[in-house]
Amino acid sequence: MTLAALSLSPLPTSRPHDMTSLVTIPRRFCGPPDSGNGGYVCGRLAQFVDGPAVVRLHVPPPLDVQMSVRRSEDAVEMMDGATVVATARPAEVILDVPAAPGYAEAEAAAGSYRGFRIHPFPGCFVCGPWRKEGDGLRIFAGRLAGTNLVASPWNPDATLGDDNGRVRREFIWAALDCPGAFTFGVPDGMAMMLGELAASLSGNIRAGERCVVTGWELAREGRRHYTGTAVYSESGACRAYARATWFEVAKS
């Protein structure tokens, strides 16, 4: 399997720059206990960008705090007062995505999920084993036998759907986040924090679908890691893929 590099090419945006919106990240959608799950926050901000986007997190996103989204000519910024929490821009996202594993294969892989044994943030909305069905996404990506992939089944529940039963896009962004952090080993005393997520979404996923999520490592540079992730529908069609940049940080 050959993995191509991601291309992030600036694209024009027609969004007006003189409008401000308000965004709050509810506590349900935490990653670490006191900040938002990176993928979910990226997905919320990406809603203000047309098409594929790259989102960079500058500081841990606060929970239950009303933040403003400020548009400029080429980007949108999520602001907590004068602090820039995250920025998003349109991007061309090119990634060689592997074929979908079967659902049963993903179930088997999830049994070896490292987070069942040790997890820096067990209450994480996406991958926390403390989260119950109907509360967290419960994506537990373990090593897929005979491959360099991690994989997990994902059954998005009804709370994640819109009025038509389609999973909202911010939750697909969230699903693309955490599996990447389990594609490589983490030294003792360190945790992984998402720095940047670039994603392309296509088609719809319906609440209740038997989906599969995969992740794989692309490269590493010291304490910086690059990963790919993908979400597949019940039919095996790739509905979303992303590249993430992760940083090893000391656990507080």
Side-chain angles (χ1 to χ4, degrees):
M1 178 176 61
T2 301
L3 299 175
L6 171 72
S7 172
L8 297 181
S9 303
L11 299 175
T13 178
S14 59
R15 299 277 188 179
H17 66 274
D18 57 349
M19 297 176 62
T20 301
S21 300
L22 298 176
V23 171
T24 300
I25 307 301
R27 187 161 295 276
R28 177 189 176 191
F29 307 125
C30 70
D34 297 317
S35 60
N37 169 264
Y40 175 82
V41 174
C42 289
R44 289 291 301 272
L45 189 57
Q47 292 175 336
F48 297 90
V49 176
D50 293 324
V54 55
V55 184
R56 178 168 294 179
L57 299 171
H58 297 276
V59 298
L63 299 170
D64 296 330
V65 172
Q66 192 173 75
M67 294 177 285
S68 61
V69 174
R70 184 175 63 191
R71 299 181 178 95
S72 64
E73 291 295 338
D74 63 349
V76 291
E77 297 176 322
M78 183 180 289
M79 306 289 299
D80 178 16
T83 300
V84 179
V85 175
T87 55
R89 291 179 171 81
E92 182 181 12
V93 184
I94 301 172
L95 191 64
D96 187 4
V97 177
Y103 190 86
E105 291 178 290
E107 285 185 311
S112 65
Y113 175 54
R114 187 172 73 232
F116 290 146
R117 302 187 302 276
I118 182 169
H119 199 301
F121 309 119
C124 175
F125 171 66
V126 175
C127 66
W130 288 358
R131 304 299 285 263
K132 305 299 184 183
E133 292 185 11
D135 179 28
L137 298 192
R138 294 175 57 83
I139 295 176
F140 305 137
R143 186 64 57 184
L144 189 66
T147 75
N148 70 332
L149 302 175
V150 295
S152 173
W154 179 38
N155 302 117
D157 66 79
T159 69
L160 309 179
D162 61 17
D163 292 341
N164 295 311
R166 295 172 299 206
V167 176
R168 296 196 295 275
R169 295 173 74 82
E170 62 265 34
F171 297 122
I172 299 176
W173 274 78
L176 290 166
D177 174 11
C178 296
F182 292 90
T183 62
F184 48 84
V186 180
D188 291 342
M190 305 296 286
M192 298 307 303
M193 299 297 290
L194 181 68
E196 186 173 275
L197 188 64
S200 178
L201 281 59
S202 61
N204 296 310
I205 292 173
R206 300 199 66 81
E209 260 193 80
R210 287 159 49 97
C211 301
V212 169
V213 184
T214 63
W216 60 97
E217 187 175 30
L218 294 170
R220 65 176 67 190
E221 298 172 354
R223 293 186 175 182
R224 181 180 300 181
H225 301 258
Y226 302 97
T227 64
T229 50
V231 177
Y232 309 87
S233 69
E234 189 165 335
S235 69
C238 181
R239 295 300 188 208
Y241 57 89
R243 171 167 169 159
T245 302
W246 294 89
F247 296 93
E248 295 177 16
V249 297
K251 288 190 288 188
S252 58

